[in-house]
Amino acid sequence: MSDKPGRTILASSISKTYVEEITKKIESMRNIRPNGPLLVGFLANNDPAAEMYANWTGKTCESMGFRYELRRIEEKDFLEEAIIDANRDTSVDGIMVYFPVFGNAQDQYLQQVVSREKDVEGLNHVYYQNMYHNIRYLDNDKQLKSILPCTPLAVVKILEFLKVYNNLLPEGNRLYGKKCVVVNRSEIVGRPLAALLANDGAIVYSVDINNIQKFTRGEGLKFSKHQVEDLGNYSDDLLRECCADSDVIVTGVPSPDYRFPTDYIRDGAVCINFSSHKNFDDSVKSKASLYVPSTGKVTISMLLRNMLRLVENRQKLNQL
Amino acid sequence: MSDKPGRTILASSISKTYVEEITKKIESMRNIRPNGPLLVGFLANNDPAAEMYANWTGKTCESMGFRYELRRIEEKDFLEEAIIDANRDTSVDGIMVYFPVFGNAQDQYLQQVVSREKDVEGLNHVYYQNMYHNIRYLDNDKQLKSILPCTPLAVVKILEFLKVYNNLLPEGNRLYGKKCVVVNRSEIVGRPLAALLANDGAIVYSVDINNIQKFTRGEGLKFSKHQVEDLGNYSDDLLRECCADSDVIVTGVPSPDYRFPTDYIRDGAVCINFSSHKNFDDSVKSKASLYVPSTGKVTISMLLRNMLRLVENRQKLNQL
């Protein structure tokens, strides 16, 4: 395999430019946030993986000039009130929750409890709806920028870094001619990601356990929104067919047992895994031109970037 | 069984007072809505049951002085845009969607697309959050009344009709001393219903396939919100124990095969089924004092009542 020209690219090298950008911006905000903006993370489960992730986000934050406060909630039932407290507390700039908490639809309820103004992960319904409709601002005067859900945004930024986005093409069209497979159609990451890529001009095959859908940019649709077409029930053959001419394969299957079949990957495709589990076998390196095994470090950069945008929005709102 | 003193009460007799109240109010609104307020229903599935329900809501609306327009959406993917169109159309007073559409989390996304001002079913996150926290108004000046999700509200109104709510007790405390079992803990009906009953003073055993929880009104909690305690994993024995001294059994299991075990019901308990499937066996009549086999007609009254409240809110907003 070592004679193959492909390369593995780590999220840490991709996030570098963002880390610099963010650190610089924090410096320029010293007048309004002398000690750095404050991010509060809520941990209400006993999952050691979540605990580790929480500690890691804390360290990352602090290394970049943010303040971070982890609030442990012993009784899940009290989490909602704790979030509302943080919503009301003017000293808190950003809020994130380590999910899953209840592991069911109640978690979707909780996501919407975080106030839109402090929702650094971009999980508020307004942010998703703006994303699907290519709406960039929260207000009619275009003073307050909308933010994007941080995991799908991270994948977009990775594709930009990897030059899959071609910046010779006009903005909003830089994936024109590209085909992408996205294995995951969750409301949190997979479906928004497919829409983002389609909105930028790509043809996207969105795959889940039930079926495969094709997302394209809707031509002449009123709300400049992507179009979706059902290609049929999921089958290995249909997936193989979609992969045959795809430039990009993005996986996000939340299972330790899932492996994307290496032999479906077109020679030279770009492969990205955003699942916390390893969705590609090591043999992916024999096929992929560029392989990104995990995206977490870019995601946290996007989260902190969102946070600075929210701080700017609050500042503007105070001045209005 | 015929020597038993229990009675079956039909939703149609319970809804009567509301039908009168609503019809009267519609009349008093002739100055602002000469032809009656307009409700738009969106049907985007081919389910004959949904089609029947849609026709039935239409007839009910028209019989009470509303206008009703059923919009059939052939391509599910276009439903979101159709909702947004209706959100923007000032001639539309209320919007409802016949779910399931996608049958997955995308339906929760769509629920939030319906504008809060026209959401007659009360599915918007703001309405749920206000309900959980006993917040009755949308604004600080208490001009705009919040609404309640219509199915849980219907069950409350049924319990009022059946005199389970004791109006000798002060408002907000009229279930004091009552114990209720609610079999269903969906985010749409079961969990909000348990919270509403607990907020009114009841002890509520909330049952789902995984576990049984006890909802009580939190004493001295900051946000005047119910408290939740886990009683343990679901078992027939635990359910039987909860039922032994319960005054009310409410079921909402969305399955044709489920039957609540009649022998768990305390003699003289009040039994209400809000599932579209028959959750109680006919033998329930040998135990229940009052049995309400379905709640649909009360639910639609609540929906139309919500709609009038939304029309009033819009009217007030225009005058502010």
Side-chain angles (χ1 to χ4, degrees):
Chain A
M1 276 186 232
S2 57
D3 59 341
K4 292 281 176 176
R7 281 182 60 201
T8 298
I9 311 275
L10 298 179
S12 52
S13 34
I14 304 173
S15 64
K16 244 182 218 159
T17 48
Y18 297 107
V19 170
E20 280 164 27
E21 177 198 312
I22 293 164
T23 316
K24 221 161 138 183
K25 200 156 187 183
I26 290 262
E27 278 310 314
S28 75
M29 279 182 169
R30 287 283 174 219
N31 55 331
I32 56 168
R33 293 291 184 280
N35 303 314
L38 172 62
L39 175 62
V40 170
F42 286 102
L43 185 63
N45 61 36
N46 294 317
D47 180 1
E51 178 90 30
M52 268 181 60
Y53 180 57
N55 288 330
W56 175 72
T57 44
K59 277 183 194 146
T60 309
C61 275
E62 282 162 9
S63 73
M64 285 162 79
F66 293 81
R67 284 172 302 141
Y68 177 79
E69 198 180 307
L70 180 61
R71 299 189 182 168
R72 280 189 184 77
I73 309 293
E74 294 305 322
E75 281 264 25
K76 289 176 187 187
D77 189 36
F78 292 156
L79 175 57
E80 181 177 3
E81 297 188 19
I83 295 173
I84 293 174
D85 269 343
N87 284 342
R88 292 178 182 167
D89 180 350
T90 53
S91 74
V92 175
D93 292 297
I95 297 171
M96 70 177 295
V97 179
Y98 296 96
F99 288 105
V101 175
F102 292 97
N104 58 28
Q106 201 171 337
D107 284 0
Q108 274 90 68
Y109 172 83
L110 282 175
Q111 276 166 16
Q112 304 304 315
V113 172
V114 175
S115 103
R116 188 211 294 181
E117 289 74 19
K118 300 187 178 181
D119 172 23
V120 294
E121 295 187 274
L123 299 176
N124 190 281
H125 179 77
V126 168
Y127 297 134
Y128 275 101
Q129 192 166 348
N130 283 350
M131 183 213 63
Y132 283 119
H133 296 281
N134 248 328
I135 295 171
R136 310 291 172 92
Y137 293 90
L138 292 166
D139 59 334
N140 290 331
D141 298 338
K142 301 191 172 185
Q143 293 296 307
L144 309 174
K145 281 190 183 168
S146 195
I147 66 170
L148 288 165
C150 59
T151 307
L153 177 60
V155 176
V156 166
K157 292 296 176 188
I158 290 170
L159 289 170
E160 285 180 2
F161 182 93
L162 301 178
K163 312 284 183 202
V164 177
Y165 274 72
N166 187 332
N167 61 18
L168 290 174
L169 289 167
E171 210 179 330
N173 212 21
R174 290 181 172 162
L175 288 179
Y176 182 64
K178 292 290 196 293
K179 292 185 179 168
C180 310
V181 169
V182 178
V183 189
N184 172 306
R185 201 188 302 125
S186 68
E187 284 297 295
I188 298 299
V189 191
R191 190 166 80 91
L193 176 60
L196 279 174
L197 303 180
N199 280 343
D200 282 333
I203 290 172
V204 184
Y205 300 108
S206 167
V207 181
D208 79 2
I209 202 167
N210 296 312
N211 65 0
I212 301 188
Q213 297 180 335
K214 184 168 143 184
F215 283 54
T216 49
R217 184 167 48 209
E219 305 269 356
L221 269 187
K222 255 181 305 182
F223 299 108
S224 65
K225 181 179 163 279
H226 64 279
Q227 234 165 355
V228 180
E229 186 190 328
D230 265 317
L231 297 184
N233 289 340
Y234 176 87
S235 73
D236 288 349
D237 282 348
L238 183 56
L239 176 59
R240 184 198 297 268
E241 208 179 293
C242 293
C243 292
D245 58 352
S246 280
D247 308 279
V248 176
I249 315 269
V250 183
T251 58
V253 180
S255 152
D257 302 319
Y258 178 82
R259 290 289 183 281
F260 188 89
T262 302
D263 58 319
Y264 290 8
I265 303 169
R266 204 187 75 175
D267 255 329
V270 166
C271 294
I272 301 171
N273 170 48
F274 68 77
S275 169
S276 59
H277 298 283
K278 195 178 147 103
N279 284 176
F280 291 102
D281 211 79
D282 279 339
S283 65
V284 62
K285 296 174 193 167
S286 69
K287 289 293 205 79
S289 58
L290 298 167
Y291 167 52
V292 182
S294 74
T295 59
K297 290 200 174 166
V298 183
T299 302
I300 182 109
S301 293
M302 293 306 116
L303 185 152
L304 296 174
R305 213 162 162 258
N306 280 345
M307 177 143 157
L308 295 182
R309 200 172 264 195
L310 293 177
V311 171
E312 286 175 329
N313 281 352
R314 280 177 71 199
Q315 188 67 10
K316 278 185 189 152
L317 268 177
N318 288 340
Q319 291 165 351
L320 287 181
Chain B
M1 277 182 233
S2 55
D3 59 338
K4 291 283 176 180
R7 281 181 61 200
T8 299
I9 311 274
L10 299 178
S12 51
S13 34
I14 304 173
S15 63
K16 245 180 215 158
T17 48
Y18 297 108
V19 170
E20 279 163 29
E21 175 197 314
I22 293 164
T23 316
K24 222 161 138 183
K25 202 158 187 180
I26 290 264
E27 277 312 311
S28 76
M29 279 182 167
R30 288 283 174 218
N31 57 329
I32 55 167
R33 293 289 184 283
N35 303 312
L38 174 62
L39 175 62
V40 170
F42 285 102
L43 185 63
N45 62 35
N46 294 317
D47 180 359
E51 177 90 30
M52 268 180 58
Y53 180 57
N55 288 329
W56 176 72
T57 43
K59 277 182 196 148
T60 308
C61 275
E62 282 163 7
S63 74
M64 286 163 75
F66 293 82
R67 285 172 301 141
Y68 177 78
E69 200 181 306
L70 180 61
R71 298 189 182 169
R72 280 188 183 76
I73 308 293
E74 296 303 323
E75 281 262 26
K76 288 175 187 186
D77 189 36
F78 292 156
L79 175 58
E80 182 177 3
E81 297 187 18
I83 295 172
I84 294 174
D85 269 343
N87 284 344
R88 291 178 182 167
D89 181 349
T90 53
S91 73
V92 175
D93 292 298
I95 297 172
M96 69 176 295
V97 179
Y98 296 97
F99 287 107
V101 175
F102 292 98
N104 57 28
Q106 201 172 336
D107 284 0
Q108 274 90 69
Y109 172 82
L110 281 175
Q111 277 166 15
Q112 305 304 315
V113 171
V114 175
S115 104
R116 188 210 295 179
E117 288 76 16
K118 302 189 178 180
D119 173 23
V120 293
E121 297 187 274
L123 299 175
N124 190 281
H125 179 78
V126 168
Y127 296 134
Y128 276 101
Q129 193 166 348
N130 283 350
M131 183 213 61
Y132 283 119
H133 295 280
N134 248 329
I135 295 170
R136 309 289 171 93
Y137 293 90
L138 292 166
D139 58 335
N140 290 332
D141 297 338
K142 302 194 174 182
Q143 292 296 307
L144 309 174
K145 280 190 183 167
S146 194
I147 65 170
L148 289 165
C150 59
T151 306
L153 177 59
V155 176
V156 167
K157 292 296 177 186
I158 290 170
L159 289 170
E160 286 182 0
F161 182 92
L162 300 177
K163 314 284 183 199
V164 177
Y165 275 72
N166 187 335
N167 61 18
L168 290 175
L169 290 167
E171 210 179 331
N173 213 19
R174 292 182 170 161
L175 289 180
Y176 181 65
K178 293 289 196 294
K179 293 187 179 168
C180 310
V181 168
V182 177
V183 189
N184 172 307
R185 203 187 301 125
S186 68
E187 283 299 296
I188 298 299
V189 191
R191 190 167 79 90
L193 175 60
L196 279 174
L197 302 180
N199 280 342
D200 283 333
I203 291 173
V204 184
Y205 301 109
S206 166
V207 181
D208 79 0
I209 202 167
N210 296 314
N211 65 0
I212 301 187
Q213 296 179 337
K214 183 168 143 185
F215 283 55
T216 49
R217 184 169 46 210
E219 305 271 355
L221 270 185
K222 254 183 307 184
F223 300 107
S224 65
K225 184 180 162 277
H226 63 279
Q227 234 165 354
V228 180
E229 187 190 326
D230 267 316
L231 298 185
N233 289 342
Y234 176 87
S235 73
D236 289 347
D237 282 347
L238 183 54
L239 176 60
R240 184 198 296 266
E241 207 179 294
C242 293
C243 293
D245 59 352
S246 280
D247 308 279
V248 177
I249 315 267
V250 183
T251 57
V253 180
S255 152
D257 302 322
Y258 178 82
R259 289 289 182 282
F260 189 89
T262 302
D263 59 315
Y264 290 9
I265 303 170
R266 204 188 76 174
D267 256 328
V270 167
C271 294
I272 301 171
N273 169 47
F274 67 78
S275 168
S276 58
H277 299 282
K278 197 178 145 97
N279 283 177
F280 290 103
D281 212 77
D282 279 337
S283 64
V284 63
K285 296 172 194 170
S286 68
K287 290 293 203 82
S289 59
L290 297 167
Y291 166 51
V292 182
S294 74
T295 59
K297 289 198 175 166
V298 183
T299 302
I300 181 107
S301 292
M302 293 306 117
L303 184 151
L304 296 175
R305 214 162 161 257
N306 279 345
M307 178 142 156
L308 295 183
R309 200 171 264 194
L310 293 177
V311 171
E312 286 175 329
N313 281 353
R314 279 177 72 198
Q315 189 67 8
K316 279 185 189 151
L317 267 177
N318 288 338
Q319 290 165 352
L320 287 180

